[in-house]
Amino acid sequence: MNKKRILLTAFFILTTLLLTACKINVITDIKSDGTGAYIQEVGIVTSDLSDLGMDVATFCDEMGKEIPAGMSARQETRDKETWCIFETQFYSLEELEKLYAETETRINQISMTEDEFIYDISLDMTGEENSLPGITLNANWIVKMPGRVTESNASEQNGNTLTWKLQIGQENNIRAVSKLGGPDFGGDWLGYVLGGGAFLCLCCFVPLVIGGLVFFFVRKKKAAAPEPSAEIPAA
């Protein structure tokens, strides 16, 4: 079992065994050229760390001492939680697949063509529930897709960011397809189209209507004005 597998599972499980709850986000941010970032986030209630006598200010730094080469570590405070964030850059889909292979993620299909990106993986988490006695685990698998999402079985979608709520004790099937090419509006392309159409309407159509009305009333006013009477020459 390699270090990255230990980092994501056993290492953090051992760290959080004395805690009642923790949150895990596994984020893959994929760009349209196949590069991106693989991010693992672990959030723990700050007061729980303090109760265990841990130094909150340096907690993530201590956790990051054993991380593999090429992975960076940082710490963030979100509300009342301390988050340790471990990030690895990848420079091709092949490198992403190698990262996934090190964490025992089964790759069904990860492919990119000129006009389509397909993301299809499986996470077998059967048996993991036995490793988490008394712990409430909130685990999310998050993928930021390139292009416009056209298909997915995600639990949540926000633009081109998809979130799957991982089910402990089950096999999690994760699939999404996005359309590449053309502008990427983060999945909210319809709003941009409608908004752009409304803007063009205001800029072009409304002034034409106003100009037409002005012309109509000016013309009507001229037509209604009395013609000047002809002068009768003096006898």
Side-chain angles (χ1 to χ4, degrees):
M1 184 178 290
N2 55 60
K3 289 183 178 180
K4 288 185 180 177
R5 174 65 175 169
I6 294 172
L7 176 66
L8 184 60
T9 56
F11 184 76
F12 278 116
I13 289 173
L14 291 173
T15 303
T16 58
L17 275 177
L18 298 178
L19 305 176
T20 58
C22 69
K23 298 178 181 178
I24 295 178
N25 293 328
V26 181
I27 305 169
T28 307
D29 186 357
I30 306 171
K31 307 301 182 184
S32 58
D33 60 357
T35 64
Y38 176 60
I39 305 167
Q40 301 168 60
E41 301 183 335
V42 177
I44 302 170
V45 177
T46 303
S47 60
D48 287 348
L49 295 176
S50 300
D51 291 343
L52 291 172
M54 296 182 179
D55 185 354
V56 175
T58 61
F59 175 71
C60 294
D61 289 337
E62 293 296 323
M63 298 300 100
K65 286 183 178 180
E66 300 297 325
I67 63 176
M71 178 182 288
S72 63
R74 65 182 186 273
Q75 179 169 318
E76 292 182 4
T77 300
R78 303 175 187 174
D79 295 328
K80 297 180 180 180
E81 298 171 337
T82 296
W83 284 80
C84 300
I85 302 162
F86 302 91
E87 181 172 339
T88 304
Q89 299 291 320
F90 58 87
Y91 299 96
S92 67
L93 294 180
E94 289 75 17
E95 289 188 14
L96 173 60
E97 291 181 357
K98 290 180 180 179
L99 291 174
Y100 280 174
E102 292 174 350
T103 58
E104 298 184 4
T105 301
R106 189 174 79 233
I107 301 171
N108 302 319
Q109 183 180 1
I110 298 179
S111 63
M112 182 180 293
T113 63
E114 291 183 359
D115 58 359
E116 186 178 63
F117 175 68
I118 299 175
Y119 182 92
D120 192 340
I121 67 165
S122 297
L123 297 172
D124 187 0
M125 305 188 73
T126 56
E128 293 292 344
E129 70 275 14
N130 298 325
S131 303
L132 302 168
I135 295 178
T136 301
L137 181 63
N138 182 355
N140 297 313
W141 189 272
I142 302 171
V143 180
K144 297 181 180 181
M145 298 281 288
R148 176 173 57 87
V149 177
T150 58
E151 173 190 341
S152 83
N153 61 352
S155 307
E156 299 175 3
Q157 178 176 348
N158 182 14
N160 62 343
T161 299
L162 304 175
T163 301
W164 287 262
K165 303 288 185 182
L166 296 181
Q167 302 299 314
I168 309 300
Q170 301 179 21
E171 179 170 306
N172 295 261
N173 297 309
I174 295 172
R175 175 177 171 80
V177 179
S178 62
K179 181 72 173 178
L180 303 178
D184 179 4
F185 298 121
D188 296 327
W189 61 276
L190 182 59
Y192 283 91
V193 170
L194 294 177
F199 177 78
L200 289 175
C201 179
L202 289 174
C203 291
C204 302
F205 181 69
V206 173
L208 288 174
V209 172
I210 294 175
L213 289 174
V214 170
F215 175 78
F216 173 78
F217 283 114
V218 169
R219 183 177 180 182
K220 186 175 181 181
K221 184 177 181 181
K222 287 183 177 180
E227 295 183 2
S229 56
E231 294 184 0
I232 301 174

